[in-house]
Amino acid sequence: MKIVRIALPVPLNRYFDYLLPETLSVEKGCRVVVPFGHQTQIGIVVDFPQESDLPIEKLKPIQAVLDKSSLFDTEIEKLLHWAANYYHGAIGEVLFNALPVKLRNGEVAERKQLDHFIVTEKGKIALTTGENKRAKKQEDLLKILAGFNAPFVKSAEFSASAWKGLIEKGYIAQFEQAYIAESWQKKLGNRPLVNSQNRLVLNKQQTLVVSRLSYTQGFEAFLLNGVTGSGKTEVYLQAIESVLNQGKQVLVLVPEIGLTPQTVQRFKARFNVEIDALHSNLNETERLNAWLRAKNGESAIVIGTRSALFTQFADLGMIIIDEEHDSSFKQQEGWRYHARDLAILRAKNLQIPIILGSATPSLESIQNAKSGKYVELTLSARAGGSQNVKHQVIDLKTQRVNAGLSDSLLAMMQKHLSQGNQVMLFLNRRGFAPVLLCHECGWMCECEACEKPYTYHQKQRVLRCHHCAAQKVVPRQCGHCGSTNLVTTGVGTEQLEQVLAEKFPDYQISRIDRDSTARKGSLEAELQAIRQGKSQILIGTQMLAKGHHFPNVTLVAIVNVDSALFSIDFRSEERLAQLYLQVAGRAGRAEKPGEVVLQTHYPDHPLLKVLLNEGYEAFAQSALKLRQTMQLPPFCAQALFRATGKNNEQIVNFLQNLTAYFQQKTVELGLQGMQILPPFSAPMPKKAGAYRWLLLIQHPSRRLLQQLLAQFEQDKANFAIPSSIRLSLDVDPLEWN
């Protein structure tokens, strides 16, 4: 029997050999069912070796073959294997990560047709005789369905019980309909590609940028550096138009789910082509259908978050990454990859252009533009006649403050609201208050598993840990002295909403954070209410800061950024600068002038002074010089080992041994200049009951650092990693927690 090498979705960076029975045939890239220990697993065929490291008699046979042909085209297979090597992910987990969940679970790789129904003869008779009129909802639904001349699909307009009742009574029946794939070009037919009435007139800068993009042949990485409100989306749309005119497809990556509906809506208004959205709010059938539509060439544009990068296309012609600086593009759990960096590699492999757009580009991208790896395109003027916003700092030391709001800010809010405008307040802290403490002895109610204060959520009357998601009822008395005088301190978005409702009773408030938008469709509903002017005061966390276009917002206030001004993370100042300008960019996006207010106890902080007086570009150049002096990214490559476990001392001892191993290997391999920092506690030392320690390695040469990591991969099997310790590797880390 033939030997088959298979990748399994297990956290082991190795393959497994099996035998292919003579009754079965299989291709590389197909899924198979195999025995694994005392259970069965779905694996992916990666090779057909002539020999195995194990004796042939010890190899088990494949039980079943699930696919007739490979699920991976050559391009995506090459990308995934490179990514597994670079980020040191288990190959099986990497391959399965690139597939929709339905395929990971063994379902058929075919488009799932929605359930179609027809009204039966029995249903038509029931309508004539009125025998079902007592069931009013069923009767109303049946009348509507009888008016269709073709099979129909279930609609959410009517309750599930009404559908179920009609099916059980035999009034409607499922209609089996074969699915026929049709390319997006064929479906477009004779209709125009673009709704030209929605195409905006470009200013001079936009025209030059679009011209440069339209005449690009082959691979080029463009950094579209455009201030907020400069019309980057219109540039994307007109660049996409030229790609679609060539009959090719486009992939657009956005950092947050919140941006996806807005982007899809604008794209659908412009193009008469098939557009699919891929994000975590879709159910698994919807995700599989969208994945297959792109692979079959049925959709022209796919818009999605990080994981949409691995969508396969019939003929991909361009990749666009909006808000390229955003840390959401970095996967922080399991296999840690950066979607932006892999997207650039994918574009290079396909020899197609890629656009990285941002008003506040990452320092890595700015440095790549300086070194000539990227072509920088600049939009320095706001589009559509909108004016540059005015910036103002309020020194909280000189103000009376109520729930984080100064008297000066409240007065400014009243002024803008009375003029019929909208006001937006940014506070990156959800819940009512970040701490519940005892007024008598100072005891704080902490999560025992994380040793961090619980956040108080007043609406649900619960305490929640925002680190491990633990939840508990609010205690009636102090856990230390027994006092019932428990008070909250600090301000969250929930408290801000309550206080503003009292201060401005005549205005509607929209709060957008992870708590208020947890239900499916709630975010879209809130954003729609804001755009329609139903809400005048907007409160939000980072979800509200990115990419949204609210033309009536004329005042944006950042309630407090003081905690972000002082951090051990060398990236914190870059993040704060980006966040400040992204939030500020929500003001004055139409003809109305905008104003941005920042409340702080440290108005003379160097970062704030540079941002306000000289802008982001000056800050970025200053930060790059400092990074170069200190030999920090982007002037060096980093690898971060995270070790977690219940035994604090055991983790420290293990990482000290690991440090000694790397020190020895750098000598043996002649890797001069390798920096291996002694093990140090994570900024959050304990989470969900597990202690967290870090080991950082860095070197100016990415190649030499990878050489050391590859040596560790070879030796890892011989390295005694205690089963009680979970060790993970993060290449090019963005966070140290």
Side-chain angles (χ1 to χ4, degrees), residues 429-436 454-466 470-474 488 492-495 498 511 513-516:
R429 182 182 282 158
R430 58 195 173 96
F432 186 86
V435 179
L436 180 71
Y454 278 108
T455 298
Y456 174 53
H457 290 254
Q458 188 179 63
K459 192 172 183 181
Q460 292 87 14
R461 291 286 301 169
V462 296
L463 295 173
R464 289 198 190 115
C465 176
H466 288 178
Q471 183 170 303
K472 66 178 289 184
V473 296
V474 179
T488 60
T493 52
E494 195 179 320
Q495 184 178 167
Q498 179 180 300
R511 173 168 62 92
D513 55 32
R514 203 185 306 169
D515 299 319
S516 65

Side-chain angles (χ1 to χ4, degrees), residues 382-411:
R382 285 193 154 204
S386 59
Q387 305 170 35
N388 289 330
V389 298
K390 291 189 291 185
H391 297 262
Q392 182 176 335
V393 175
I394 295 176
D395 186 352
L396 290 176
K397 297 193 298 294
T398 64
Q399 295 278 322
R400 189 178 66 174
V401 179
N402 179 15
L405 302 169
S406 65
D407 287 348
S408 295
L409 176 56
L410 290 170

Side-chain angles (χ1 to χ4, degrees), residues 40 293 511:
T40 58
R293 280 162 55 81
R511 173 168 62 92

Side-chain angles (χ1 to χ4, degrees), residues 183-325:
S183 71
W184 69 266
Q185 298 96 327
K186 187 175 180 182
K187 200 162 184 179
L188 178 65
N190 295 322
R191 290 180 300 156
L193 177 70
V194 173
N195 294 317
S196 55
Q197 70 273 16
N198 287 323
R199 190 194 282 124
L200 302 180
V201 177
L202 300 178
N203 60 32
K204 186 176 180 181
Q205 282 189 332
Q206 289 173 311
T207 302
L208 290 171
V209 168
V210 170
S211 298
R212 178 68 177 85
L213 294 170
S214 299
Y215 290 100
T216 302
Q217 299 293 323
F219 167 73
E220 243 180 320
F222 295 97
L223 176 61
L224 181 57
N225 186 351
V227 298
T228 52
S230 60
K232 290 187 291 296
T233 304
E234 184 62 29
V235 168
Y236 298 153
L237 290 168
Q238 297 207 21
I240 288 170
E241 184 180 336
S242 65
V243 175
L244 296 179
N245 276 322
Q246 299 169 35
K248 296 179 180 292
Q249 297 164 288
V250 177
L251 170 63
V252 181
L253 296 182
V254 294
E256 298 279 358
I257 294 172
L259 298 181
T260 312
Q262 173 183 302
T263 309
V264 171
Q265 187 179 16
R266 188 163 177 185
F267 276 50
K268 284 186 174 179
R270 176 66 60 89
F271 299 113
N272 294 315
V273 297
E274 297 298 304
I275 299 173
D276 272 322
L278 271 171
H279 52 77
S280 59
N281 271 358
L282 300 180
N283 65 44
E284 297 309 335
T285 298
E286 290 170 330
R287 289 183 72 87
L288 174 61
N289 284 345
W291 188 84
L292 288 168
R293 280 162 55 81
K295 185 178 173 69
N296 296 336
E298 298 173 71
S299 54
I301 303 170
V302 172
I303 302 169
T305 47
R306 179 178 60 231
S307 61
L309 168 69
F310 303 116
T311 305
Q312 295 183 49
F313 291 85
D315 191 7
L316 186 60
M318 176 180 278
I319 300 174
I320 294 172
I321 302 183
D322 194 27
E323 310 289 4
E324 67 83 27
H325 67 276

